[in-house]
Every structure is written in structure tokens, then in C-alpha cells.
Amino acid sequence: MKTNTFRVYCKFGSICALICGLAYICVTICALFSPESIISYIASEEYFKDFQSYQPIFIGLKGLLFIANMSLIGVVITFYTLSREENKPFMAWLSILAIIGFGIGMFQSIQDMTMIPYLAEQYQSSNDIIKETLITIGIANPAWYMVSLGLPGIWFIAISLMALNNTYIPKWLILLGLAWGSGSIITAFAHLIVHILLIKLVTYGALVVAPLWSISEAIYLQRAAKKPPPYLETNE
């Protein structure tokens, strides 16, 4: 890989990571105002009541998550392109898994932005039979989190473990990646079994780790663009 090409990918990845970090900072602010019923994603009378006042923030939050997932796809592409040759086959497989996961996450955001406000509106204007039906059917399928959070979680953990023997990558950045990956998988499992306390704990942790990792990664890639790692055979 030529030096200029390497720098272009680093700068692209840095921009994507920065956008993701800024989006997650805004997500964190929005999440601070989230009622417990909204966090649970469990359809109930309380959920639809709280949603009326929270709807504008909810739509904004989902839009930000869409942007974050989209930008993380750019980070995945950057990591694959800049990965060491001996890791390329495994990185290709991991990258596909991550892109599928982030893509499903984008789909979930669009679906939630459009369908949940509609369901909430129908709930408020319907009779008791329709209300019970909406509560029974639910507002979302938590099993999707196994894909939208689980697959990216596998990617975060795997790339972090592969980076352990790379002296060019700071160990604290690797630890943040492991924390994000582990948190994603635990969150997916918590949503699947509907464990409210676990969902809240991991979600609040992720709201710290996600922007911290993203902005740190953006800074790291910018520095890498100025000083390429020694294991790359860069030439003008």
C-alpha cells in the first residue's frame, strides 16, 4: 500500500469515527431524558403514555443512531483495508458480519422512527380491544438485537483481540473496544430475555464507552495518517 493511499484511508476512517462519536454524545444527552418505560421497549399503557411527551427526542435519538451505524460501516471498511496481511481473510469475514449488523441497526432505526409513533397514535385513539392487541403484539422484536448488536459486538471483540500483539495500537484503546463489544453482546441478550436492570446498566455504560472509543479512534487514525505503522510497507 502506498503512503498516500494509507493516509487517505486513515483520514476517511477518522472522519467516520468522529461522526460516530459526536452522534453518540448526542445520543447520550437524549438518553438522559428517557423514561424507564421507553428504555425497556416493552409495550404497555405506561410506555404509550410516556411516548407522547418523549416522541420528538425519540425520533432524534433514532436518527442519531442511524448516522452512528452508517459511519461505523466506514470504520469497518477502514479497519479491513489497513489490517495486516495475515489477518485479511478473518478480517474480511468479520467485516461482512459487522456491516450486516450495522445495516440491520440502520433498518431498526428507520422502522422505529416511523412505526412506533404510528402505533402510539393508534393506541391513543383506539378502543380497549385494539389497545390490548397492540400491547400483546408489542412495538419491536427484541430478537433483532442479536444481529444489530450481537454481530458488531463480535467484530469489536475480535479486532481488539487481534490488536493485542500490535505494539502500534494503544492498549487502552483495545480495552475500550473489548468493553464496547462485550457490552453490545450483553445488551442483545438482555433485550432478548427482557432483563430491565441489565439493559439499563449496560446501556448507560455503552453511552460512555461508545463516544469515548469513537473519538479516541478518530484521533488515533489522524495520528496514524501522519506516521504510518512500521509493519506496513509504505512507499510513495
Side-chain angles (χ1 to χ4, degrees), residues 110-130:
I110 294 296
Q111 189 176 46
D112 289 348
M113 289 170 66
T114 54
M115 289 304 300
I116 294 181
Y118 173 76
L119 292 174
E121 182 182 350
Q122 293 302 307
Y123 181 88
Q124 298 300 329
S125 60
S126 299
N127 56 42
D128 291 340
I129 296 176
I130 299 298

Side-chain angles (χ1 to χ4, degrees), residues 116-148:
I116 294 181
Y118 173 76
L119 292 174
E121 182 182 350
Q122 293 302 307
Y123 181 88
Q124 298 300 329
S125 60
S126 299
N127 56 42
D128 291 340
I129 296 176
I130 299 298
K131 288 181 178 180
E132 286 298 324
T133 302
L134 289 173
I135 290 175
T136 301
I137 294 174
I139 55 173
N141 183 358
W144 278 113
Y145 285 109
M146 299 300 292
V147 180
S148 62

Side-chain angles (χ1 to χ4, degrees), residues 72-197:
L72 279 168
I73 292 176
V75 177
V76 171
I77 294 171
T78 299
F79 278 25
Y80 168 74
T81 306
L82 302 180
S83 62
R84 292 170 288 183
E85 288 301 320
E86 63 268 26
N87 293 332
K88 285 288 186 183
F90 191 44
M91 280 295 292
W93 178 71
L94 287 171
S95 298
I96 292 172
L97 291 183
I99 290 172
I100 291 173
F102 290 130
I104 293 297
M106 293 167 65
F107 170 77
Q108 279 184 297
S109 294
I110 294 296
Q111 189 176 46
D112 289 348
M113 289 170 66
T114 54
M115 289 304 300
I116 294 181
Y118 173 76
L119 292 174
E121 182 182 350
Q122 293 302 307
Y123 181 88
Q124 298 300 329
S125 60
S126 299
N127 56 42
D128 291 340
I129 296 176
I130 299 298
K131 288 181 178 180
E132 286 298 324
T133 302
L134 289 173
I135 290 175
T136 301
I137 294 174
I139 55 173
N141 183 358
W144 278 113
Y145 285 109
M146 299 300 292
V147 180
S148 62
L149 292 177
L151 294 185
I154 293 172
W155 178 79
F156 272 109
I157 291 173
I159 63 167
S160 298
L161 291 175
M162 285 191 291
L164 285 173
N165 63 353
N166 189 337
T167 56
Y168 192 76
I169 300 176
K171 291 295 184 289
W172 59 268
L173 192 55
I174 295 173
L175 291 175
L176 285 175
L178 288 171
W180 191 345
S182 301
S184 294
I185 293 175
I186 294 172
T187 302
F189 179 72
H191 275 289
L192 191 62
I193 64 174
V194 195
H195 194 296
I196 305 302
L197 179 59

Side-chain angles (χ1 to χ4, degrees), residues 4-17 78 82 218 221-222 224-226:
N4 287 338
T5 303
F6 174 81
R7 286 173 176 162
V8 167
Y9 274 106
C10 281
K11 290 178 181 178
F12 171 73
S14 177
I15 292 171
C16 290
T78 299
L82 302 180
L221 288 171
Q222 275 292 337
K226 298 177 181 178

Side-chain angles (χ1 to χ4, degrees), residues 30-98:
C30 291
L32 293 175
F33 299 96
S34 299
E36 290 188 12
S37 60
I38 302 296
I39 295 175
S40 69
Y41 263 83
I42 299 174
S44 63
E45 182 179 354
E46 184 183 5
Y47 181 96
F48 288 116
K49 181 180 178 181
D50 291 338
F51 189 83
Q52 292 182 69
S53 58
Y54 185 70
Q55 180 173 333
I57 299 177
F58 178 85
I59 293 175
L61 186 150
K62 288 298 176 178
L64 290 165
L65 286 174
F66 181 91
I67 294 171
N69 280 312
M70 183 170 59
S71 60
L72 279 168
I73 292 176
V75 177
V76 171
I77 294 171
T78 299
F79 278 25
Y80 168 74
T81 306
L82 302 180
S83 62
R84 292 170 288 183
E85 288 301 320
E86 63 268 26
N87 293 332
K88 285 288 186 183
F90 191 44
M91 280 295 292
W93 178 71
L94 287 171
S95 298
I96 292 172
L97 291 183

